[in-house]
Amino acid sequence: MEEILFNLISSWPGLVGRPDRALLHDSLVLLDFLPPGALRIIDVGSGGGLPGLPLRLARPDLRLTLLEANERKAAFLVQAAAKLGLADVEVVARRAEDAGHDPDHREAYDFALARALAAMPVHPRAIASRTG
């Protein structure tokens, strides 16, 4: 599945600065920090689905939401989740600032993840976590 994800990312220009298998492996570093059991996770500014999709492939028990404001990138995420057989992955095509005011998303997640999204003072306020 990792190879399929890498090929999907490589075939959509502009998702990541430069397609690199190391990005997939870097995403998996977060596994050491996630407690066991079912968790609800949001990947804010998902872009090419990193780190969310590799984590979900490694941990099928995760309930993953991919939040991406760019419609083109959100379309990629829908296609990637389908090709990877991840029918339960939710893709939300909205800005984090807007989703953060939506009761379906505000304080609804155990963990919020972001990769190359914004300066640290900006994104923690966009989506509040149930645990923090």
Side-chain angles (χ1 to χ4, degrees):
M1 288 302 203
E2 184 178 303
E3 189 65 24
I4 293 170
L5 178 56
F6 178 77
N7 290 336
L8 286 168
I9 291 170
S10 298
S11 70
W12 282 62
L15 289 174
V16 295
R18 179 181 57 115
D20 186 344
R21 282 183 174 77
L23 295 173
L24 297 167
H25 297 290
D26 288 350
S27 297
L28 297 177
V29 169
L30 297 172
L31 287 172
D32 293 337
F33 300 96
L34 298 175
L39 299 170
R40 190 159 184 222
I41 293 179
I42 187 165
D43 182 356
V44 182
S46 294
L50 305 171
L53 290 175
L55 289 172
R56 176 57 180 73
L57 288 169
R59 287 270 310 264
D61 60 325
L62 298 178
R63 291 179 47 212
L64 177 64
T65 298
L66 302 170
L67 181 64
E68 175 55 56
N70 181 297
E71 293 281 339
R72 183 179 157 285
K73 291 178 181 180
F76 164 79
L77 295 170
V78 169
Q79 179 182 350
K83 288 200 176 195
L84 293 167
L86 304 176
D88 59 340
V89 169
E90 179 183 16
V91 177
V92 178
R94 294 178 71 182
R95 292 180 53 79
E97 297 85 351
D98 296 333
H101 294 290
D102 183 334
D104 289 339
H105 297 289
R106 183 158 190 88
E107 299 182 10
Y109 300 94
D110 298 302
F111 290 92
L113 311 173
R115 179 189 162 276
L117 174 67
M120 280 303 289
V122 174
H123 68 78
R125 287 178 272 162
I127 299 287
S129 170
R130 291 190 299 198
T131 58

